[in-house]
Amino acid sequence: MKLTLYGDPRTKKNSARILRTRSGTPFVAPSKVYVDYETDCLRQIKKLRSPISARVNVRCVYYMPTRRRVDLVNLLEATCDILVKAGVLEDDHCRIVAGHDGSRVEYDKENPRAEIWIEEMEDEP
């Protein structure tokens, strides 16, 4: 399965906000930029009949609009969370997302995006 999510890829960890519940209890929330990115990605993903629960390799190639340094692990975490929220993956624990082989960050000023390949892997030995 291949997905392409258009837009400048964002991570959850940068610029987190401290908000308060109605009762005043503080909690940490992702930045507004990430929430907007997540909402846009969820709009782009078509709903599957049932989420993937087999062992898979999720290979992500991120095309960034600038050459700024970015943390690949944080991008992968955000992408897996979006795929779970969209119902593509049942969960992002290690028995389902067994690897991210081939993932990397590239540069494309004109067309920032994340290209995602989800490939089934052999069962555990």
Side-chain angles (χ1 to χ4, degrees), residues 8-64:
D8 184 2
R10 297 296 179 161
T11 66
K12 290 175 89 168
K13 299 208 175 192
N14 290 350
S15 304
R17 304 174 288 172
I18 297 176
L19 303 176
R20 295 191 178 275
T21 63
R22 291 179 192 206
S23 65
T25 307
F27 68 96
V28 178
S31 69
K32 178 161 178 11
V33 173
Y34 172 77
V35 171
D36 292 344
Y37 173 69
E38 178 185 66
T39 302
D40 188 40
C41 288
L42 292 172
R43 181 188 55 77
Q44 296 178 56
I45 298 172
K46 289 188 172 42
K47 185 80 173 162
L48 298 178
R49 286 187 200 153
S50 62
I52 296 168
S53 60
R55 242 175 129 233
V56 293
N57 180 63
V58 179
R59 178 170 47 116
C60 303
V61 179
Y62 298 97
Y63 293 89
M64 306 302 284

Side-chain angles (χ1 to χ4, degrees), residues 1 52 54-59 96 99 101 117-122:
M1 161 187 264
I52 296 168
R55 242 175 129 233
V56 293
N57 180 63
V58 179
R59 178 170 47 116
I96 294 176
D101 295 345
W117 290 265
I118 301 173
E119 301 152 335
E120 192 166 349
M121 296 177 72
E122 295 177 13

Side-chain angles (χ1 to χ4, degrees), residues 47-88:
K47 185 80 173 162
L48 298 178
R49 286 187 200 153
S50 62
I52 296 168
S53 60
R55 242 175 129 233
V56 293
N57 180 63
V58 179
R59 178 170 47 116
C60 303
V61 179
Y62 298 97
Y63 293 89
M64 306 302 284
T66 65
R67 295 190 190 272
R68 74 180 188 271
R69 289 170 37 164
V70 64
D71 190 332
L72 176 60
V73 172
N74 288 344
L75 286 170
L76 291 169
E77 178 185 359
T79 300
C80 285
D81 289 346
I82 289 168
L83 293 175
V84 169
K85 193 168 189 176
V88 174

